[in-house]
Amino acid sequence: MSNSVYDTYVSPLSTRYASAEMKFNFSDRKKFTTWRSLWTLLAQAEQELGLDITDQQLKELRDNVDNVNFAAAVEEEKLTRHDIMAHVHTYAACCPTAGPIIHLGATSCDIGDNADLIVLRDAFDILLPKLAGCVKTLGEFADEHKHLATLGFTHFQPAQLTTVGKRACLWLQDLILCEKNISRVRADLKFRGIKGTTGTQASFLQLFNGDYEKVRELDNRVTRLAGFPASYSVTGQTYPRIVDAEVVSSLSILGAAVHKMCTDLRLLAGMNEIGEPFEPTQIGSSAMAYKQNPMRSERVCSIARYLMNLVNNPLSTASVQWLERTLDDSANRRLCLSEAFLAADSIMLTLQNILEGLSVFPKVISRNIEKVLPFMATENIIIAMVKVGGDRQVCHEKIRVLSLEAASTVRLEGKDNDLLDRIVKDPYFAPILDQLPHLLDPSTFIGCAPDQVKYFLKEEVQPVVNKYISKIKSSATKLDI
């Protein structure tokens, strides 16, 4: 059989959807070089605290962090059935002087788990600026359209008017809440630290001849050298697996927020009020050549649905970690943690592309408003009649009868809403006919929506954008597929 990439399974997240930087973050190269960096930091801290480790050995370790023989590691793992020890052996092979002190006193999770936490931290640092970029672009869209009246919907039935910008702020509010949640989870991440086999640090206590303060300082030094402010005070063999559940949960919540937003965009695209980007050579349907399907929003919903369901994996894993640990977490975590971030990353990439190319169709929006605005204006008409001396109950009854007649015309005959014509023809309403243009002006039905947008963008959106402004990419996001 051929060795071509086309002859084996590859994940769509790595070939079609996620970014290069997120894929690298979960790559073998990143993982194994991080392991080597941690072995180096451990040796450095052990030397600083008095163990017999030479500067030459440390230099040899540092010089070979990137010198990974991947093929040799694969062969070693076939023999040892242990990934960490396979890489201890291959690292030692290119560090003949330092080989004897690699992994000194450590257990696998002193390296593997701490490396995982570094990868999770870095994944958050890749994802959060992309989320902020979507917030920024959507905020600009909301500001541009804060005065544009549009039909509001409850139960997907026409309701009071809102504005296109105000509706966008509903999406923004969800994204703001997601940023707050994800950034908190990122800030709460701690290092596992140097804890040993079952978390008791027994091997390190032996290395330092019973000096617990040195053991404690070793933990603190490696933690700081790895870029973490603190480690978990107590652990079993692993860091608390509930942390993984919290990490994936924060991403799953983002998936739900973006799924809701892109579902709204799909509905609005079906009403021809808003359209997502559509390339000149893009094909919407193999059969129906006229179609312009909202395929980007559909992609977001599809991947978001996958992301939302991933949270059950770390929840289950955390619930079955027997005593100090069990290994049935390992294979599941390899899949779940990486795919959660790759999925979230791909969603942010596609959403940014959608937001940068959103089109709004005001004439369609206006026509849709006109179909139902006469019904919405009835309360204004009643009030106007009362102000010129009319009886509220009499006016209400006349409006009720005319509205039912107009509704019947729309539903049974398929004609346009003619309630306004019926009102104009009824002599009872003659005293307010000159007020009708104002009473039917859509801008008088949107309440405080424009001001709500203005202050929301200023008070809640802009601070989030400012947090990441130096990391937000300004160029348009192009999707390869």
Side-chain angles (χ1 to χ4, degrees):
M1 181 179 288
S2 168
N3 291 323
S4 167
V5 66
Y6 300 107
D7 297 325
T8 188
Y9 174 80
V10 290
S11 168
L13 288 170
S14 63
T15 57
R16 294 177 68 90
Y17 303 135
S19 67
E21 60 265 32
M22 190 64 83
K23 287 186 286 188
F24 175 77
N25 189 59
F26 287 94
S27 68
D28 281 349
R29 186 175 299 279
K30 171 69 177 280
K31 177 165 68 173
F32 299 144
T33 57
T34 301
W35 287 1
R36 291 190 173 193
S37 294
L38 288 170
W39 278 313
T40 302
L41 297 181
L42 176 61
Q44 176 186 330
E46 289 175 333
Q47 183 206 52
E48 292 170 353
L49 291 169
L51 295 189
D52 187 16
I53 295 173
T54 68
D55 290 343
Q56 180 185 355
Q57 287 174 316
L58 287 179
K59 182 179 186 302
E60 193 173 60
L61 290 175
R62 293 189 185 104
D63 289 347
N64 285 281
V65 164
D66 295 320
N67 182 25
V68 181
N69 187 331
F70 293 98
V74 169
E75 293 305 313
E76 282 286 338
E77 189 171 351
K78 288 179 181 178
L79 297 173
T80 62
R81 309 300 298 174
H82 197 289
D83 55 352
I84 292 284
M85 286 309 299
H87 280 270
V88 168
H89 293 163
T90 53
Y91 197 15
C94 56
C95 298
T97 302
I101 56 90
I102 294 173
H103 203 65
L104 182 59
T107 190
S108 296
C109 287
D110 288 320
I111 304 304
D113 265 33
N114 282 321
D116 288 347
L117 288 162
I118 290 172
V119 168
L120 294 179
R121 178 197 64 189
D122 293 351
F124 277 131
D125 290 343
I126 293 170
L127 182 68
L128 280 164
K130 293 179 180 179
L131 173 54
C134 291
V135 168
K136 179 177 182 292
T137 306
L138 184 54
E140 292 165 352
F141 176 88
D143 186 54
E144 180 182 356
H145 301 290
K146 61 179 175 287
H147 293 287
L148 180 57
T150 187
L151 274 178
F153 284 86
T154 60
H155 317 279
F156 203 47
Q157 299 296 313
Q160 286 188 350
L161 302 192
T162 183
T163 71
V164 172
K166 170 63 191 301
R167 177 178 284 142
C169 285
L170 300 181
W171 304 329
L172 269 170
Q173 179 77 277
D174 286 349
L175 295 184
I176 294 292
L177 291 172
C178 288
E179 187 281 330
K180 182 179 181 180
N181 188 37
I182 293 172
S183 62
R184 179 195 59 77
V185 173
R186 188 307 187 192
D188 285 350
L189 278 180
K190 293 182 179 181
F191 207 50
R192 175 186 177 272
I194 305 303
K195 299 295 197 298
T197 305
T198 58
T200 66
Q201 299 174 308
S203 59
F204 296 104
L205 190 65
Q206 185 177 358
L207 277 174
F208 289 104
N209 299 315
D211 189 338
Y212 175 62
E213 291 306 316
K214 283 193 174 182
V215 173
R216 182 176 171 83
E217 179 58 20
L218 176 71
D219 194 338
N220 290 337
R221 286 195 185 199
V222 178
T223 295
R224 292 193 299 270
L225 288 169
F228 283 81
S231 65
Y232 296 103
S233 298
V234 294
T235 72
Q237 190 171 88
T238 68
Y239 69 80
R241 290 300 183 235
I242 204 74
V243 173
D244 291 343
E246 191 171 29
V247 167
V248 179
S249 176
S250 71
L251 302 179
S252 294
I253 292 170
L254 174 63
V258 177
H259 194 295
K260 191 274 182 192
M261 174 184 174
C262 287
T263 298
D264 286 353
L265 289 174
R266 292 162 64 191
L267 292 170
L268 293 168
M271 296 162 59
N272 284 319
E273 291 194 354
I274 288 182
E276 66 174 37
F278 198 87
E279 306 296 337
T281 57
Q282 184 173 331
I283 296 174
S285 168
S286 61
M288 296 166 281
Y290 61 88
K291 294 191 74 177
Q292 296 187 27
N293 302 332
M295 56 81 67
R296 289 168 173 83
S297 295
E298 291 171 325
R299 174 190 297 180
V300 169
C301 289
S302 184
I303 299 175
R305 188 160 61 247
Y306 176 74
L307 174 57
M308 290 155 58
N309 282 281
L310 282 178
V311 71
N312 287 320
N313 283 281
L315 284 173
S316 296
T317 295
S319 72
V320 296
Q321 285 300 286
W322 299 353
L323 305 176
E324 277 62 52
R325 79 94 39 110
T326 180
L327 196 61
D328 65 347
D329 62 340
S330 179
N332 190 285
R333 292 176 69 250
R334 288 176 190 266
L335 295 167
C336 178
L337 295 178
S338 58
E339 295 204 347
F341 274 102
L342 290 167
D345 179 77
S346 66
I347 286 170
M348 290 297 98
L349 285 178
T350 308
L351 182 61
Q352 183 67 38
N353 176 265
I354 292 169
L355 295 175
E356 288 173 351
L358 274 184
S359 298
V360 177
F361 307 118
K363 290 185 177 180
V364 177
I365 291 173
S366 178
R367 187 166 67 248
N368 289 337
I369 290 175
E370 290 172 0
K371 293 178 182 178
V372 296
L373 189 60
F375 292 139
M376 295 182 184
T378 54
E379 183 65 21
N380 289 356
I381 293 171
I382 291 172
I383 291 173
M385 282 297 299
V386 171
K387 284 183 178 181
V388 297
D391 184 309
R392 194 265 179 195
Q393 311 313 326
V394 173
C395 184
H396 182 277
E397 178 60 19
K398 284 189 170 291
I399 289 288
R400 186 188 71 81
V401 172
L402 295 177
S403 296
L404 291 175
E405 292 173 353
S408 179
T409 298
V410 171
R411 293 171 177 171
L412 300 181
E413 301 179 30
K415 296 181 179 179
D416 291 338
N417 187 338
D418 63 355
L419 176 59
L420 183 58
D421 291 337
R422 294 174 186 271
I423 289 173
V424 169
K425 293 175 182 178
D426 191 321
Y428 177 81
F429 295 98
I432 63 162
L433 291 184
D434 60 336
Q435 299 182 42
L436 284 182
H438 173 72
L439 296 176
L440 291 163
D441 182 354
S443 66
T444 65
F445 288 81
I446 60 175
C448 302
D451 290 320
Q452 287 181 350
V453 173
K454 174 183 175 181
Y455 285 100
F456 176 68
L457 295 178
K458 177 182 178 181
E459 296 171 358
E460 299 194 44
V461 174
Q462 195 58 49
V464 170
V465 173
N466 290 343
K467 282 175 60 177
Y468 304 93
I469 194 65
S470 64
K471 299 179 180 179
I472 294 175
K473 295 181 180 180
S474 58
S475 58
T477 303
K478 184 180 185 300
L479 296 183
D480 293 330
I481 297 179

